[in-house]
Structures are given as C-alpha cells and as structure tokens.
Amino acid sequence: MSSIEERVKKIVVEQLGVKEDEVTSEASFVDDLGADSLDTVELVMALEEEFECEIPDEEAEKITTVQQAIDYVNRHLDQ
Amino acid sequence: MRLQLDNQVALVTGATRGIGAAIATVLAEAGATVVGTATSESGAQRISDALSSTTGGGRGAVLDVRDAEQIKQLIDNIRDNEGAPSILVNNAGITRDGLAMRMSDEDWDAVIDTNLNAVFRVTRAVLRGMIKARHGRIINIGSVVGLMGNAGQINYSTAKAGLLGMTRSLAREVAPRGITVNAIAPGFIETDMTGELDDQQREALLEQTPMQRLGQPGDIAAAVCFLASPAAGYITGETLNVNGGLLMS
C-alpha cells in the first residue's frame, strides 16, 4: 500500500502529464506544472475518486500545490 | 464520406416521439449504442422497440430531466451497462405558449426548467466521462425561434436563446479536451409540437420558407449525426440552422 504522498503525486503525474521528478511537494500546479483552470478541476475530481471523498469548492480552491493536496487528504482521512 | 459512430454511446433526451425519436434511430443506424429517455415506462418501451432492429442498438430509459437525482442515477447506470456516453443530444423540450401579458409564472418556470436548466444539469453530469475520455460530442437542440423570436413563445424562445449561449461558453471550456459542443436550430418540423398550429399559421409559415415545406424529423437527425461524427471534429460552438431557409444568418 503506497503512502498518501505517493498516491497524490501519482495522480498529479497522470493528470498533468508531467515527469515524476517535477512533482515536488512545493510545486504549484499552475505556476510550476503548467496546469490551466480545467486541469485543476480535473485534478480535484481525480483526487475525489482516488480517495473516495467529496472536496467542496471552497476547499478545492485552496489546493494549489502538491503539499496542499497531500495535507487536505491527510486531514480528511483522519476524520 | 460515411458517418460512422461505431463504439460510441449516445444519450438522447426526449426520444419517444418526433425529432428525438428520429435522432435516436439515425444515431443507432450509424452504429452508436443509444439510450433514449422518456418520461413514462410506456415511452421507454417504445424507444427500446424502435432501437431493437438498428445497427448499434440501445434502449429506452425513464428520466424526468428536471430531477437531478434521476439524472445522476441514469448516467451511473449507463456507465455501468453501455459505457460512459460519448455523445449527448439534449433534445427534450416542452412548450407552454401564451402571450407575455397573460403568461403565468408556472408556464414560464416549466419551460425554463425543462428546456434550459435541465440541459445544463444533464450536460454537467456527462462531462466528467467525456473529459476523462478526451472525447465527446454535445449537441443541443435549439430552435429558430431562439434566434428570430416568436409571438406567444416568450418562455420557449428565451430558453432556446439561452441554450445557444450555453453552447458557446461550454464549447470554449471543453475544446482543449477534445469535446465539441454545438447547437442545431430547427425551423418548423412536422411533429406533434407543430401539429398544434392551425391552417392559417401553417400557410403563413410556408410563405416565409423558401423550401415551401415543413421539415421532417429526419432532416434534424441527419444534422445531429453529422455533428456527432468524426467528420465534424473541428466544428464547435456553432449553431447550425436547419430550417428550409426560413432564417439565414
């Protein structure tokens, strides 16, 4: 079973079509990984599916970096 | 050029009669597996019967397009059975005609709900699958009255005009994902809906129509089939007039 961090990074690689070594924790989806607004929506949808949760819009807006995605999932799965 | 829709799954709303029934049959003959929606069990059965002898086959399904929960259930059901729809034809529509001064809130709301709000909800529900697949065809059935207006149809023409704006905005949003979004604006087509016209109205219409006849449901279905096909892959955000020349823009 891979860690949440690995699973999140794998989704980012798949969704944005970027290389694994580009997906650092601090990487911003838009500024560093070249995502457009539709990409970020798709990314959130993919996270929702992977972790079987629903991410409300106001939370989704705050997820702009890889680390923020990992943190969100960690927080959510704790509950 | 043959319009092939093999391996495509099409969802056609309001497919029991008229234009929707013709669209469902033509898409299925082109090879798509078609799910057509009806508001009643008997309507759904009629669609299943009509599709049973076609190339691509398909079935009827009961759906009240105004009910978000039913939409979700049907899309999930199609995904599990036929596969996620790659073609969506938003065809279901109603009329509640009346002059603006005398139109009730109920008649206004009913038409906006079914002909505009429901189109957005059904579309939103199928988008996820299309975006994942990096392919999709969304075809909204508008109306010539959405462009030229029509006395007695303020609700219907408003909804149909709104549909054209929706078509263009969505086309811009999802074009990078290989999804095209277009509208067809039928003129007056021989269906139950236009059967309500009296002889005088019919005469007046024919006078304004260079082709001097009402359209047939098959005229619209052929245009839908084209827009759904690979041949139309570079057309998006467009409104195709199919009206015998009644309005040219």
Side-chain angles (χ1 to χ4, degrees):
Chain A
M1 178 86 185
S2 30
S3 72
I4 284 173
E5 180 172 344
E6 285 164 350
R7 286 160 74 191
V8 169
K9 286 186 173 174
K10 183 162 173 285
I11 287 172
V12 175
V13 167
E14 279 169 11
Q15 284 294 325
L16 303 183
V18 290
K19 295 201 190 84
E20 269 180 61
D21 55 6
E22 291 179 83
V23 186
T24 59
S25 297
E26 315 81 59
S28 151
F29 300 127
V30 174
D31 297 332
D32 300 319
L33 302 175
D36 65 18
S37 57
L38 194 52
D39 287 322
T40 57
V41 172
E42 276 188 75
L43 196 59
V44 168
M45 280 164 38
L47 290 170
E48 288 177 333
E49 276 179 24
E50 171 73 20
F51 297 101
E52 289 172 358
C53 61
E54 217 162 285
I55 305 176
D57 284 347
E58 58 272 24
E59 294 290 332
E61 279 169 23
K62 294 180 202 151
I63 303 176
T64 63
T65 67
V66 176
Q67 189 60 50
Q68 284 166 350
I70 295 167
D71 289 347
Y72 179 85
V73 174
N74 273 325
R75 266 202 317 276
H76 182 86
L77 292 191
D78 284 345
Q79 284 166 7
Chain B
M1 182 183 70
R2 292 196 55 206
L3 303 175
Q4 295 278 13
L5 301 178
D6 298 336
N7 303 318
Q8 305 289 315
V9 175
L11 173 61
V12 181
T13 64
T16 313
R17 302 174 287 155
I19 292 173
I23 291 169
T25 303
V26 166
L27 294 182
E29 287 296 355
T33 302
V34 176
V35 176
T37 76
T39 51
S40 67
E41 286 290 349
S42 61
Q45 186 57 49
R46 216 179 324 158
I47 295 167
S48 294
D49 293 345
L51 291 174
S52 64
S53 55
T54 58
T55 312
R59 63 183 164 108
V62 175
L63 174 68
D64 179 343
V65 292
R66 299 167 302 177
D67 185 329
E69 188 52 36
Q70 283 187 30
I71 293 171
K72 185 182 177 307
Q73 281 171 9
L74 179 62
I75 304 293
D76 287 349
N77 176 279
I78 296 171
R79 198 187 52 223
D80 294 345
N81 288 288
E82 286 85 5
S86 51
I87 299 168
L88 168 65
V89 184
N90 284 306
N91 168 76
I94 58 168
T95 54
R96 294 277 189 280
D97 296 351
L99 294 172
M101 296 266 292
R102 305 274 304 162
M103 180 164 292
S104 67
D105 285 349
E106 288 74 24
D107 285 349
W108 172 266
D109 290 343
V111 169
I112 300 294
D113 263 351
T114 301
N115 297 14
L116 189 60
N117 295 338
V119 173
F120 167 65
R121 293 200 189 96
V122 174
T123 301
R124 186 176 55 183
V126 303
L127 268 179
R128 184 181 281 234
M130 289 183 178
I131 282 182
K132 269 191 168 176
R134 295 290 190 266
H135 172 79
R137 292 278 192 272
I138 297 171
I139 298 148
N140 295 324
I141 304 302
S143 170
V144 67
V145 307
L147 294 160
M148 62 191 283
N150 197 18
Q153 290 201 305
I154 190 167
N155 47 3
Y156 188 78
S157 60
T158 299
K160 294 298 186 181
L163 202 60
L164 303 184
M166 190 193 299
T167 299
R168 296 187 193 110
S169 288
L170 186 63
R172 288 179 187 273
E173 276 189 27
V174 298
R177 297 298 182 274
I179 302 167
T180 69
V181 189
N182 292 288
I184 291 176
F188 289 83
I189 308 297
E190 298 254 27
T191 63
D192 293 347
M193 199 182 269
T194 53
E196 290 168 20
L197 299 170
D198 61 34
D199 286 347
Q200 203 181 347
Q201 289 170 316
R202 189 174 273 258
E203 267 315 302
L205 260 175
L206 291 179
E207 248 169 55
Q208 296 171 58
T209 306
M211 292 247 173
Q212 297 178 323
R213 65 172 177 88
L214 295 190
Q216 295 299 313
D219 293 324
I220 305 305
V224 170
C225 191
F226 167 65
L227 288 175
S229 76
Y234 200 55
I235 302 175
T236 197
E238 182 58 54
T239 299
L240 182 56
N241 286 304
V242 183
N243 61 26
L246 176 64
L247 177 79
M248 303 181 188
S249 60

